C-alpha cells in the first residue's frame, strides 16, 4: 500500500450531481466510500486548495452527511486539509457508512503531504469537475486523470 487518493465517477444525475467512489490510503490504512455530491462541490474544494496553505495553521474542511443517528444519513464523509504552525500539512479523512454495528465500516486517518502536492490535487479536482474524465488518481509523486474506458495500470 502507498499514499493514494482515487476517485471514480459513476454516471448519475450529471452534470449537476455526481456519484463518486472515493478511495484513500496512507500506506498503512485504506478505506473507500460511495458518496453523492454536487459538481460545484469539486470546484469549491479545488478553489480552497489551490493556494493552500494561506498562512500558519490554515485548514479546509469538507463534510458530507452526518454521524448523528437522528439526522438519518446513509453515510458520513469528512475531508479535512490542514497545516500546523511548523508548516507540516496533511489530509485527514473520515469514512463512516452509518450502518448498524454488525455491518459498520468506519475509518479515519491522515495522509501527510507537502503543500505543493495538495495544490496539485486541487488542479486535478478542477479538471475532474469538467466531467471529461472518469477516474482521478493522486499520489505524492504524481497523478493522472483517466478518460472513460482508459485502463488504470495500478
Amino acid at each position: 500500500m502507498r499514499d493514494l487518493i482515487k476517485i471514480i465517477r459513476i454516471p448519475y444525475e450529471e452534470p449537476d450531481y455526481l456519484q463518486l467512489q472515493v478511495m484513500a490510503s496512507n500506506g498503512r490504512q485504506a478505506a473507500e466510500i460511495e458518496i453523492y455530491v454536487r459538481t460545484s462541490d469539486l470546484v469549491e474544494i479545488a478553489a480552497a486548495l489551490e493556494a493552500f496553505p494561506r498562512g500558519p495553521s490554515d485548514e479546509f474542511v469538507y463534510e458530507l452527511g452526518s454521524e448523528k443517528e437522528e439526522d438519518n444519513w446513509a453515510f458520513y464523509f469528512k475531508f479535512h486539509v490542514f497545516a500546523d504552525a511548523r508548516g507540516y500539512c496533511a489530509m485527514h479523512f473520515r469514512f463512516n457508512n452509518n450502518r448498524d454495528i454488525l455491518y459498520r465500516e468506519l475509518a479515519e486517518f491522515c495522509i501527510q503531504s507537502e503543500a505543493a502536492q495538495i495544490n496539485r490535487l486541487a488542479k486535478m479536482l478542477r479538471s475532474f469537475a469538467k466531467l471529461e474524465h472518469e477516474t482521478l488518481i493522486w499520489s505524492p509523486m504524481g497523478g493522472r486523470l483517466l478518460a472513460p474506458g482508459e485502463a488504470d495500470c495500478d
Side-chain angles (χ1 to χ4, degrees):
M1 250 193 299
R2 60 190 168 120
D3 293 352
L4 179 76
I5 298 170
K6 183 175 183 178
I7 304 171
I8 299 172
R9 182 171 56 89
I10 301 164
Y12 182 58
E13 293 183 6
E14 296 176 357
D16 298 320
Y17 295 94
L18 304 175
Q19 180 179 350
L20 302 176
Q21 182 179 2
V22 178
M23 295 164 267
S25 171
N26 68 359
R28 294 169 305 284
Q29 293 188 30
E32 80 179 65
I33 193 167
E34 193 170 291
I35 61 174
Y36 299 83
V37 302
R38 294 184 314 258
T39 306
S40 60
D41 289 356
L42 295 181
V43 175
E44 290 172 23
I45 294 167
L49 299 182
E50 281 173 333
F52 185 86
R54 289 170 181 80
S57 303
D58 192 12
E59 71 176 331
F60 168 77
V61 178
Y62 177 78
E63 292 179 285
L64 189 59
S66 173
E67 292 184 292
K68 296 178 185 174
E69 189 174 327
E70 62 270 19
D71 290 343
N72 202 30
W73 271 85
F75 62 86
Y76 175 73
F77 173 73
K78 180 179 183 180
F79 176 59
H80 174 212
V81 181
F82 63 94
D84 67 14
R86 296 172 294 170
Y88 295 110
C89 301
M91 295 178 280
H92 168 224
F93 292 89
R94 183 167 175 90
F95 300 79
N96 188 343
N97 69 353
N98 283 345
R99 304 266 319 263
D100 291 333
I101 192 70
L102 183 62
Y103 306 101
R104 183 160 304 145
E105 296 170 352
L106 176 66
E108 183 172 25
F109 55 87
C110 288
I111 298 174
Q112 296 177 5
S113 181
E114 295 177 3
Q117 296 163 338
I118 293 170
N119 302 149
R120 184 169 33 80
L121 174 61
K123 288 182 175 95
M124 293 178 73
L125 285 169
R126 187 172 293 283
S127 292
F128 193 67
K130 294 177 183 175
L131 307 181
E132 297 168 356
H133 299 92
E134 184 176 80
T135 305
L136 177 156
I137 301 171
W138 173 96
S139 75
M141 303 312 291
R144 58 193 181 279
L145 295 167
L146 304 176
E150 192 174 346
D152 174 10
C153 298
D154 266 349

